[in-house]
Amino acid sequence: MERNGESQTATAVSAVPVSLPVPGGSGVQELLAVLGSFRVSADSNELIDQIRGLEDAKSAIAALQARTAVAFDLAQRREQTATGDPSPDLGQGVGAQIALARRESPNRGSRLLGLAKALVSEMPRTMAALETGQLNEWRATLLVKETACLSIEDRAAVDQELAPDTGTFNGAGDKTITALARAAAYRRDPRTVTQRAARAASERHVSLRPAPDTMTILTALLPAAQGVAAYTALTRAADSARAGGDTRTRGQVMADTLVQRLTGTPGGISAINIQLVMTDRTLFQADTEPARLQGYGTIPAGWARTLLTGAQSEVSPESTEDKAFNVYLRRLYTAPASGELLAMDSKTRLFPPGMRRFIQTRDDTCRTPYCDAPIRHIDHIIPWHNGGPTSLENGAGLCEACNHTKENPGRNAKTIPGSRHHLEISTPTGHTYQSKAPPLPGHTRFPAISPAPPSPAPTSPAPPLPVPAEAPETASWSPASPASHFSMAGMRLENDVLHRTSWN
């Protein structure tokens, strides 16, 4: 966030009233009205008191959300029982509906529902601490997580022992709270806690997620002994290289060694495809329009061109291996005005490989609102058994969990005409949520800006704004012409670069 260089005034400032659409919810609109009339103090002491009070209010609202979530779960179960749903299916889809209402991913929605049930039904002292601001939602989550393996009785006993609503955790940080809860759980049921630690090894996995500035975070969840051994091996390799005169930092050597040992090549370039979507102008004319790397997101144009030309980031200076790799270009034609990929159809039930690649490129991530999980399934929006065709219009990329959730009773989806692929999801309660395919590089549309209210004339004339140069109306390309004259209206280039690790 940018800092404002102007000094603060000494007068009270009223908060800007926020006009938010609040569907239903008795009392919620009144609460927002109170927040809209809140006045920020000008006194430092009062400002700290306000910050603390607002933090307590956030905790109280989180507790109220938990009670509301449990009530919604019970209401859904009653309604499903009334319609004759079998007992094992009761409660299905509740977490997904809570996620949409809270603008969260379906996975987090299920975890929030589990947290709410534990607080309301099994940990009343922790719930009281949340309601009174003694704990925030995250620290209440830590207590619930560390007692998840206990029986209801043992969990209630730990809740009573710690009694966070009495100020037990005043001044305690996350690690302290976790340690106290873990110790109390172990005292109550050491056998179960030990079995839980033994089962944790079966949950080992490796994940990859985007980081700022075209970086990624490669994470491995390993048993303690294996994790320590792997880190020690990287540390020794870095210390040895540094002792031999390597000019890279210790962290750089450890990262490069990890890549080399996993892929077998110093730069990590081997034989698997990644998909890089960019405009022809970015590739051939040094345009600044960002590209999109599937499984990562938006990347700078210059970095994308560097990736394609093989000028990779710094690797081991001792390496003399050729870093060149093959690049294949696949043309993707789009509508010049909207950027919508051109459609095709199929009479088969299963989406053919070309159509699957098309949908995956168009949707990028799971199309459920607020879910950014990688696409695992390409499936029909209107189910095949309900007459839905196998077409680009009726296909959507979903993660595994969302694809199963959409089959729950009362859950429906349909497409809406628009400039880009647009679908609408409706839940059993009648609420609707919309999802639009992300714009491809080169077709970002900025929202219209309302005219600003008139303001007093400045005391001195403002410097004129620079006028952007107009792009040439037409351009052509031939094998003998320079690349800077290459242009094809409405075309996208999807580049399959040979690479070892999958981005999903």
Side-chain angles (χ1 to χ4, degrees), residues 23-49:
S26 176
V28 177
Q29 291 177 329
E30 289 81 357
L31 176 60
L32 288 178
V34 172
L35 293 177
S37 61
F38 178 81
R39 294 181 63 83
V40 177
S41 174
D43 180 74
S44 296
N45 293 333
E46 291 183 3
L47 287 171
I48 290 297
D49 291 338

Side-chain angles (χ1 to χ4, degrees), residues 24 68 96 121 170 176-177 180 187 304 383 389 426 494:
T68 307
S121 305
N170 283 349
T176 301
I177 292 176
L180 291 173
R187 286 193 298 270
S426 59
E494 177 189 348

Side-chain angles (χ1 to χ4, degrees), residues 76-379:
Q76 285 284 285
R77 290 174 181 272
R78 287 195 298 267
E79 294 172 9
Q80 292 170 1
T81 301
T83 58
D85 288 349
S87 297
D89 295 336
L90 294 180
Q92 285 192 358
V94 173
Q97 294 185 69
I98 292 175
L100 289 170
R102 291 192 59 168
R103 297 187 176 96
E104 298 281 3
S105 69
N107 179 271
R108 177 156 172 76
S110 298
R111 287 187 279 120
L112 288 170
L113 177 59
L115 170 68
K117 288 181 177 180
L119 290 173
V120 173
S121 305
E122 302 172 11
M123 303 183 71
R125 304 299 293 267
T126 301
M127 183 64 171
L130 183 62
E131 290 176 323
T132 57
Q134 297 291 326
L135 290 175
N136 58 27
E137 187 177 30
W138 170 243
R139 288 177 176 169
T141 303
L142 294 177
L143 290 173
V144 171
K145 178 182 177 183
E146 293 303 327
T147 57
C149 62
L150 300 178
S151 65
I152 295 178
E153 294 77 13
D154 286 337
R155 171 178 265 180
V158 171
D159 181 60
Q160 179 70 25
E161 175 185 340
L162 297 179
D165 58 315
T166 62
T168 303
F169 296 135
N170 283 349
D174 294 350
K175 291 184 179 179
T176 301
I177 292 176
T178 300
L180 291 173
R182 190 172 296 169
Y186 185 80
R187 286 193 298 270
R188 290 288 171 181
D189 192 352
R191 182 177 179 181
T192 300
V193 175
T194 303
Q195 291 174 347
R196 176 187 178 187
R199 289 194 303 268
S202 65
E203 301 175 357
R204 60 190 183 277
H205 67 273
V206 176
S207 62
L208 184 71
R209 62 185 187 274
D213 303 323
T214 66
M215 301 293 283
T216 56
I217 300 174
L218 177 66
T219 304
L221 180 64
L222 301 172
Q226 297 178 12
V228 170
Y231 188 81
T232 301
L234 294 175
T235 301
R236 289 176 178 173
D239 292 340
S240 176
R242 293 277 293 171
D246 197 315
T247 58
R248 291 172 294 170
T249 65
R250 191 166 180 263
Q252 289 173 342
V253 177
M254 293 175 68
D256 295 342
T257 302
L258 175 66
V259 171
Q260 182 172 354
R261 292 187 178 181
L262 288 177
T263 65
T265 56
I269 302 299
S270 184
I272 203 168
N273 292 335
I274 63 172
Q275 297 179 28
L276 177 63
V277 183
M278 60 195 305
T279 67
D280 57 311
R281 300 180 300 278
T282 296
L283 179 59
F284 295 108
Q285 298 179 346
D287 191 75
T288 58
E289 176 67 32
R292 191 177 76 191
L293 186 61
Q294 189 164 326
Y296 178 86
T298 302
I299 58 175
W303 191 90
R305 285 191 294 270
T306 300
L307 177 64
L308 293 181
T309 58
Q312 299 301 307
S313 58
E314 182 182 358
V315 295
S316 175
E318 291 81 7
S319 172
T320 58
E321 189 172 338
D322 185 7
K323 304 181 188 65
F325 50 87
N326 295 325
V327 176
Y328 300 94
L329 302 182
R330 181 179 289 107
R331 293 178 294 182
L332 299 176
Y333 292 93
T334 64
S338 65
E340 175 75 4
L341 288 176
L342 301 181
M344 63 177 68
D345 203 352
S346 171
K347 298 185 181 299
T348 62
R349 176 172 182 174
L350 299 178
F351 288 88
M355 192 178 292
R356 292 177 63 87
R357 181 188 293 273
F358 189 102
I359 294 173
Q360 192 161 18
T361 302
R362 179 196 69 196
D363 294 348
D364 192 35
T365 58
C366 178
R367 286 294 300 278
T368 300
Y370 315 115
C371 183
D372 294 327
I375 293 175
R376 300 301 185 195
H377 295 173
I378 305 293
D379 207 349

Side-chain angles (χ1 to χ4, degrees), residues 93 96-97 100 367-369 380-383 385-386 394 396 398 402-416 422-435:
Q97 294 185 69
L100 289 170
R367 286 294 300 278
T368 300
H380 300 76
I381 297 173
I382 300 176
H385 54 79
N386 289 342
N394 194 48
L398 299 169
C402 290
N403 192 39
H404 294 319
T405 300
K406 75 180 181 65
E407 301 298 331
N408 291 334
R411 180 99 170 197
N412 298 293
K414 65 179 181 180
T415 56
I416 300 176
H422 195 175
L423 62 88
E424 181 179 86
I425 297 172
S426 59
T427 63
T429 58
H431 292 81
T432 58
Y433 305 87
Q434 296 186 1
S435 169

Side-chain angles (χ1 to χ4, degrees), residues 12-27:
V13 181
S14 61
V16 178
V18 181
S19 177
L20 296 176
V22 183
S26 176

